[in-house]
Amino acid sequence: MHQRLLPRSLVVLTVILSAAACAPPPLTSPTPSRSLATTTPTAAPTDGLPAASPTPPPATSLPTPTAGPPLHGTIALFSLGSLDRAALHALAGDGSVTELSRVVSSPVAVSDDGRWVGTSSSQPSADAVAAFNLKTGATYTIPVASDLSPYGMAFDPGANRLAFLELGLPGASGTPWALIVVTMRDSSATRFEAVTGPDESLLPGSPIGWSGDDLLLNTFIPFSEAGSEGLWAVTLPPDVTSAPIDALDRRRVLSGGDYLFEPELSPDAARLTYLSRDHDYTPDDYTPVGYDLAVNQLGFLNLESGSSRLLVEETEGGALAGDVAWSPDGELGLFAEGRYSGTTFDSLMLKTVDDTGAQTEIAPVPLPSEGQLITLDWCAPDTILVVVATADGVHQLHAIDLVSGESSLVASEDHVAVLGCVRGGDGDGANADVVHVRAVRSADGTWTFHVTVAHPDTGWEDYADGWDVVTPDGEVLKPDPESEFTRTLLHPHVDEQPFTRSQSGIVIPEGVTEVRARAHDIVDGYGGEEIVVDLTETSGPNFEVERE
């Protein structure tokens, strides 16, 4: 997924990336305009930024959240507003839009399943990153070190970890920066520090995604007019402890001269597609502004083998726009090709390319006169999302139907950003979620668990039929050994969502200090949200522990 919202202090980089379509950056519209195909408005927070803490305390969480809106059918999350403050929205496969009761600000990341959103946060303290779960309502707050600010961020494919960059102002010894990795299970944060100096140490980089235990960093020279300075893979196993960046294993994936815009990671996190330029080639009728950022090449790179090759090379007067995307199955690359008319494209055609280089035309981009392409996303098999900017800087989000080639306007605002595709958002996959657990230890040593489950029960044909308490080694704890679950749910709860059911007489083996609660439904089985309960604590992310 792209990091769609850019850091405020990298003003020059904002200009560079705004030129991704090889046009000047869009101007702020003097009169904000806004339109939505379908909206459900809700109240949004309006608190400002309080003062920063001089020493970053441990990450905190809200223990008893309320469940958020269902994501059933969602194919993408997007924002409307500005880089500093934007309202979060969900786009469904049928084209309907739901405004969520959340505000986000740059940087923003969305997990592949659409459940977790990471964003720069003003609550409860300034200079913090918040991660919230749209299904359960769980919210983590990870303070940022004093005098540093959060930048690009990315979830790993399983939404087990969130990584983001902290960057400080240049000082006598260099520019301080750090990678922060948050474990989503318990909100613990691990810090890897560095200082950019005159030596050949690794430059700071914005995380763009994970490939296994490798975090991919799009590096740059901070507070300069330079663009990307190379894509690096930094190895961060789950059990790694805080250490200097220089102590971590790392390798360069692409040099800075090999690509011009942020590469795009494939859905299986095994390949990259990237845009580059043959500097001996100049498109017809092209007039660069400030920087020569025309591109005419598209390549694929295999992250395991390190091999790469060009699949598209335009040499007949045309050029490629400054963004690419993958099909949901990872089999095709999506790009836009057209011809310039001065500083902007006169028109653009969406095309796909496979790993043999075979190209297929899809549909024209709904490009406004003297406007520019901002981003491309392919979030459902039959739907492509395109963000374009008008000549006066207003952003438009369009959905393009791959079968008919027709486009429809989804939203228009001063700033629109597709924050991430939601894989499986068409309703496939497990969706029985545990949203809260209260565990009570009785005087006789047994436990009673009160488990709250959320599932879109429709009736006897699809409902949540049980929940379990499971030890770290996988043992399901059942008061009745003949029962299928720790607690069997005997009927649908169509009109009671979420709902809480209890089970007493649970014996937790000696030495076990942590269990997890999971839910099951009769159609999709296990696989929804689970909650880990630390029995040594009184409360934590979505759980409470009591002793009688």
Side-chain angles (χ1 to χ4, degrees):
M1 289 180 203
H2 287 292
Q3 174 55 51
R4 299 299 188 186
L5 301 182
L6 297 173
R8 289 190 295 273
S9 61
L10 294 182
V11 177
V12 176
L13 287 183
T14 303
V15 173
I16 294 174
L17 290 177
S18 296
C22 302
L27 301 174
T28 302
S29 174
T31 303
S33 62
R34 174 173 179 162
S35 65
L36 281 174
T38 307
T39 60
T40 304
T42 54
T46 58
D47 294 336
L49 291 170
S53 171
T55 302
T60 59
S61 61
L62 303 180
T64 55
T66 56
L71 288 173
H72 187 76
T74 297
I75 64 170
L77 297 179
F78 68 96
S79 63
L80 293 175
S82 67
L83 287 172
D84 294 331
R85 191 172 187 80
L88 185 64
H89 294 73
L91 173 66
D94 62 4
S96 62
V97 173
T98 301
E99 182 174 349
L100 308 178
S101 56
R102 298 283 186 171
V103 170
V104 296
S105 58
S106 174
V108 182
V110 174
S111 64
D112 286 348
D113 60 9
R115 300 188 181 204
W116 283 99
V117 176
T119 178
S120 175
S121 174
S122 61
Q123 301 177 19
S125 61
D127 299 325
V129 164
F132 53 84
N133 190 310
L134 290 174
K135 292 296 291 290
T136 68
T139 300
Y140 301 152
T141 301
I142 305 94
V144 174
S146 177
D147 300 325
L148 276 72
S149 299
Y151 288 83
M153 60 177 61
F155 287 94
D156 68 5
N160 298 308
R161 292 183 286 178
L162 169 68
F164 64 90
L165 168 68
E166 286 183 354
L167 183 65
L169 294 172
S173 60
T175 303
W177 63 281
L179 292 176
I180 311 301
V181 178
V182 182
T183 301
M184 302 310 297
R185 186 182 71 173
D186 58 9
S187 77
S188 61
T190 307
R191 184 180 177 85
F192 305 94
E193 296 184 345
V195 175
T196 299
D199 56 9
E200 296 183 0
S201 60
L202 183 66
L203 290 168
S206 290
I208 69 167
W210 294 74
S211 180
D213 287 334
D214 287 342
L215 177 63
L216 301 177
L217 300 178
N218 188 27
T219 63
F220 56 90
I221 299 174
F223 310 105
S224 76
E225 296 184 354
S228 299
E229 289 295 308
L231 188 71
W232 287 77
V234 178
T235 303
L236 293 166
D239 58 352
V240 67
T241 57
S242 293
I245 293 287
D246 289 341
L248 301 174
D249 291 336
R250 62 181 186 266
R251 58 189 173 89
R252 184 160 59 186
V253 175
L254 287 169
S255 68
D258 289 340
Y259 65 105
L260 283 179
F261 303 105
E262 182 179 288
E264 180 79 6
L265 186 62
S266 63
D268 63 1
R271 293 178 295 164
L272 288 167
T273 185
Y274 60 94
L275 294 167
S276 57
R277 167 77 180 278
D278 176 1
H279 290 281
D280 292 329
Y281 171 76
T282 300
D284 291 345
D285 300 322
Y286 172 53
T287 305
V289 175
Y291 293 88
D292 184 353
L293 293 176
V295 296
N296 70 312
Q297 299 171 333
L298 182 150
F300 280 10
L301 181 143
N302 185 304
L303 286 170
E304 182 177 354
S305 67
S307 62
S308 65
R309 59 196 181 100
L310 293 179
L311 295 178
V312 176
E313 185 167 22
E314 169 58 53
T315 60
E316 301 298 324
L320 310 184
D323 197 22
V324 290
W326 287 92
S327 61
D329 61 8
E331 297 297 319
L332 298 172
L334 174 71
F335 65 102
E337 183 176 5
R339 289 183 174 268
Y340 279 104
S341 177
T343 60
T344 60
F345 281 101
D346 183 59
S347 63
L348 285 169
M349 175 63 67
L350 289 175
K351 296 183 177 183
T352 63
V353 60
D354 63 19
D355 57 7
T356 70
Q359 299 181 30
T360 302
E361 287 192 358
I362 299 298
V365 174
L367 192 65
S369 176
E370 298 184 359
Q372 59 180 298
L373 175 71
I374 304 300
T375 56
L376 296 174
D377 290 274
W378 196 341
C379 291
D382 59 353
T383 306
I384 289 172
L385 301 181
V386 178
V387 176
V388 297
T390 64
D392 59 0
V394 175
H395 286 194
Q396 300 173 350
L397 171 61
H398 296 265
I400 298 178
D401 187 290
L402 266 71
V403 177
S404 65
E406 296 180 353
S407 65
S408 58
L409 178 65
V410 176
S412 179
E413 179 61 281
D414 282 347
H415 184 84
V416 180
V418 177
L419 305 176
C421 295
V422 177
R423 307 301 181 190
D426 56 0
D428 295 337
N431 53 6
D433 302 312
V434 177
V435 298
H436 192 263
V437 176
R438 183 165 68 94
V440 180
R441 187 180 188 274
S442 302
D444 63 3
T446 63
W447 291 78
T448 298
F449 274 69
H450 309 273
V451 176
T452 303
V453 175
H455 179 265
D457 288 4
T458 59
W460 293 102
E461 72 282 357
D462 187 4
Y463 71 98
D465 58 346
W467 55 257
D468 292 325
V469 175
V470 187
T471 66
D473 63 5
E475 178 186 1
V476 178
L477 304 179
K478 305 176 185 177
D480 179 3
E482 301 301 318
S483 176
E484 185 177 0
F485 309 106
T486 301
R487 169 63 193 260
T488 298
L489 304 171
L490 298 176
H491 60 84
H493 297 82
V494 177
D495 298 321
E496 183 188 358
Q497 290 293 331
F499 62 95
T500 302
R501 294 297 180 269
S502 305
Q503 179 62 56
S504 60
I506 298 173
V507 177
I508 296 179
E510 185 177 353
V512 173
T513 60
E514 180 181 279
V515 294
R516 59 188 171 93
R518 67 183 184 185
H520 182 278
D521 73 77
I522 64 171
V523 173
D524 299 308
Y526 298 109
E529 291 287 342
E530 301 179 356
I531 289 179
V532 175
V533 179
D534 185 343
L535 301 173
T536 68
E537 300 288 341
T538 58
S539 64
N542 287 349
F543 73 83
E544 300 170 74
V545 178
E546 302 175 11
R547 286 171 171 78
E548 295 180 346

